[in-house]
Amino acid sequence: MGWLNSDITAVGRRMYSNKAGEATADKLSVLGAAYPTDGWTNTTPVILQKTGRGLLHQPSHPLAILKELIFQQFPDFAYYDSLNPVVTTQQNFDSLGFSEDHPGRAKSDTYYINGDTLLRTHTSAHQLQLLKAGSSGDNVLLAQARNGHVAPANERFLVAADVYRRDEIDASHYPVFHQMEGVCTFARSEVNEQLRQTGKTGQTVEFSDSNPLQIEHTAAEASYLVEDMKRTMNNMVAAILARADGGQDGFPVRWIDASFPFTSPSWEMEVLFRGEWLEICGCGITRQSMMRNAGVPQRIGWAFGFGLERLAMLLFGVPDIRLFWSHDPRFAAQFSPGNISTFKPFSRHPPCTKDVSFWVSHAAPFHENDLMDLLRVTAGDLIEGTQLIDSFTHPASGRTSHCYRITYCSMDRNVTNEEINAIQDQVRAAMVAQLGVTLR
Ligand code: DAH
């Protein structure tokens, strides 16, 4: 959850002032709808293009295959996989109890359309809206569920979707990825009736001061929810891992205490898979304030959210996250719906590296994510990765210098040195113009 820890920087961004001319336009168009821009706008055209790719709707795409396998594990949940990525700051942050100064809101980490609107940074953005749609009978929203009749009042639902975060570039980070959200609620009276019948009227789960149960829940209620959540998630992961090539039946799981604004207690679930602890998801007991805000104060529940890419990379043996976005038919042709098969690498096109060294200006603080977006705008998916290879501060002048090594490589074709030199020249010019740095 990288963005839970990053710094707030309120530097004026000009990232969207690129060759597509969006800087002068006072509107940004996303999936056919126009939105006014303002000083918060930092979504680049390269990112906007991704909103239309629909990887989760290509039946033979590994991410879509994984999505369907997970949906199948939850036969009595409603499924959503077509919700618009443009959400309000209210949905993405406020509705979930994110504080005003939460680092996740920083412009350096989030793609804003304008001050009120952004590209969702997580599928949790839809939790309150969907719970509310169930309680108020919002048929327009309920009808967007693929199988809404199964769990009519959105008492249980899954949301699979593309999410957007400004981030570094490397083999496992991409500014767009996919998450699966799960929300499961119960009538409080029924839970208590069941607890009475089974004689489980006490606490059966450990809580700690740093990861407490909510004062609004009894220890027995919270224990019930935690046990149900962990059992459900264990079963889901077991079913998926068992389908992988050489799939394992039993697997060790560990639950790491975590903290999210909208759950308490909270955990991260990790699974030992092929010798590596893999962080599967964040999860926890939904804050009762959210249930009240959703118009279902008489219900209690749990939720999880996990990233599909890391699991898909492991299950399908995909070595680089950019391959999911490749247009190369040699990628797509390898997979088929319902099957987890191992990716057979096709020849990698040769990479080309270029270094750029520069002085940071005192007047314009340098933020690495700005460089990453600049690179994406200028070179798109030709950027394979970046590495900070040198940094120092001059003892006399106090000025700081950085040197980045940029690796260019195409997933689809050979690139020539001349082509990369031309792009590198554009990158250097854009760095001066947009980041205010002095090249060395
Ligand atoms: N939205 C969180 C993230 O992207 C993940 C998450 C944590 C989702 C806990 C949940 C949850 O539903 O209960 O970092």
Side-chain angles (χ1 to χ4, degrees):
M1 316 288 140
W3 52 284
L4 297 180
N5 301 315
S6 32
D7 301 320
I8 297 241
T9 46
V11 183
R13 308 275 173 227
R14 280 164 289 153
M15 298 312 304
Y16 55 102
S17 56
N18 59 61
K19 49 194 181 250
E22 260 69 6
T24 50
D26 56 2
K27 293 249 174 353
L28 215 61
S29 167
V30 193
L31 297 173
Y35 301 86
T37 57
D38 62 18
W40 281 84
T41 310
N42 63 354
T43 305
T44 61
V46 181
I47 295 299
L48 290 179
Q49 278 163 20
K50 310 282 184 206
T51 60
R53 270 301 284 284
L55 300 184
L56 290 180
H57 296 283
Q58 297 167 18
S60 295
H61 194 284
L63 294 170
I65 295 170
L66 180 57
K67 174 197 78 173
E68 291 300 331
L69 288 177
I70 296 170
F71 279 173
Q72 284 166 21
Q73 300 306 315
F74 294 88
D76 62 347
F77 281 52
Y79 317 147
Y80 293 85
D81 61 2
S82 306
L83 297 173
N84 196 307
V86 178
V87 299
T88 60
T89 50
Q90 159 70 29
Q91 285 174 290
N92 202 79
F93 298 122
D94 305 80
S95 78
L96 294 159
F98 279 68
S99 60
E100 277 301 319
D101 59 354
H102 192 283
R105 295 183 189 252
K107 254 170 120 175
S108 56
D109 289 31
T110 296
Y111 288 108
Y112 282 91
I113 306 290
N114 58 44
D116 302 321
T117 321
L118 49 85
L119 296 176
R120 69 185 151 223
T121 64
H122 55 171
T123 42
S124 305
H126 298 290
Q127 276 201 22
L128 186 72
Q129 168 196 31
L130 289 174
L131 284 167
K132 239 185 199 164
S135 66
S136 69
D138 176 347
N139 287 326
V140 176
L141 198 50
L142 291 174
Q144 289 194 44
R146 257 175 43 185
N147 59 345
H149 59 284
V150 176
N154 271 1
E155 290 167 358
R156 298 172 292 280
F157 58 83
L158 296 175
V159 180
D162 41 338
V163 301
Y164 298 76
R165 290 185 201 172
R166 299 183 71 195
D167 209 339
E168 64 204 88
I169 306 174
D170 64 28
S172 56
H173 292 89
Y174 201 77
V176 193
F177 57 101
H178 296 80
Q179 284 188 330
M180 175 77 78
E181 193 85 5
V183 174
C184 184
T185 71
F186 303 83
R188 198 167 194 165
S189 56
E190 285 169 23
V191 168
N192 280 295
E193 182 52 35
Q194 207 177 316
L195 290 171
R196 259 192 303 280
Q197 281 173 13
T198 53
K200 284 188 166 180
T201 47
Q203 176 173 341
T204 56
V205 167
E206 293 279 321
F207 301 103
S208 67
D209 287 349
S210 58
N211 201 16
L213 83 158
Q214 297 167 47
I215 44 171
E216 293 166 88
H217 294 156
T218 66
E221 285 171 340
S223 298
Y224 176 93
L225 292 173
V226 171
E227 283 181 352
D228 187 78
M229 176 183 82
K230 291 188 173 177
R231 185 172 48 242
T232 307
M233 289 169 54
N234 273 329
N235 289 345
M236 166 186 68
V237 174
I240 305 280
L241 295 190
R243 308 230 0 191
D245 278 357
Q248 46 187 74
D249 277 340
F251 57 89
V253 166
R254 61 183 187 191
W255 301 89
I256 312 286
D257 280 356
S259 164
F260 303 102
F262 41 99
T263 51
S264 188
S266 314
W267 289 274
E268 269 159 17
M269 180 196 197
E270 296 190 348
V271 173
L272 192 61
F273 185 63
R274 293 180 187 153
E276 232 188 287
W277 282 105
L278 173 68
E279 185 194 313
I280 295 272
C281 66
C283 59
I285 305 310
T286 305
R287 283 208 181 270
Q288 207 52 32
S289 53
M290 265 190 69
M291 304 303 281
R292 275 198 303 277
N293 292 341
V296 284
Q298 77 290 2
R299 298 186 73 82
I300 53 180
W302 53 255
F304 67 78
F306 78 85
L308 297 180
E309 268 81 354
R310 282 181 62 197
L311 189 55
M313 285 171 80
L314 264 158
L315 290 175
F316 293 87
V318 172
D320 189 312
I321 197 166
R322 293 180 310 156
L323 279 162
F324 291 128
W325 298 87
S326 163
H327 292 276
D328 192 321
R330 290 177 299 172
F331 182 73
Q334 296 195 17
F335 306 102
S336 61
N339 294 315
I340 297 179
S341 53
T342 304
F343 171 65
K344 291 169 210 64
F346 36 85
S347 62
R348 184 171 176 263
H349 299 281
C352 173
T353 62
K354 301 280 169 196
D355 293 349
V356 57
S357 302
F358 56 90
W359 293 107
V360 174
S361 143
H362 285 306
F366 171 74
H367 199 292
E368 191 174 78
N369 281 349
D370 288 342
L371 175 60
M372 299 305 151
D373 265 333
L374 182 151
L375 291 172
R376 277 182 206 109
V377 167
T378 317
D381 283 354
L382 286 179
I383 303 287
E384 180 174 83
T386 57
Q387 200 190 350
L388 180 60
I389 55 172
D390 190 32
S391 240
F392 71 93
T393 301
H394 193 278
S397 70
R399 289 215 296 172
T400 298
S401 162
H402 297 303
C403 178
Y404 279 86
R405 174 156 300 162
I406 305 170
T407 306
Y408 294 94
C409 180
S410 169
M411 286 284 150
D412 313 320
R413 62 192 174 84
N414 275 325
V415 287
T416 63
N417 200 39
E418 292 71 48
E419 183 185 355
I420 298 302
N421 277 339
I423 291 176
Q424 180 76 358
D425 286 346
Q426 286 174 27
V427 164
R428 292 169 63 87
M431 287 176 67
V432 173
Q434 296 176 25
L435 305 182
V437 304
T438 309
L439 299 175
R440 303 185 57 199

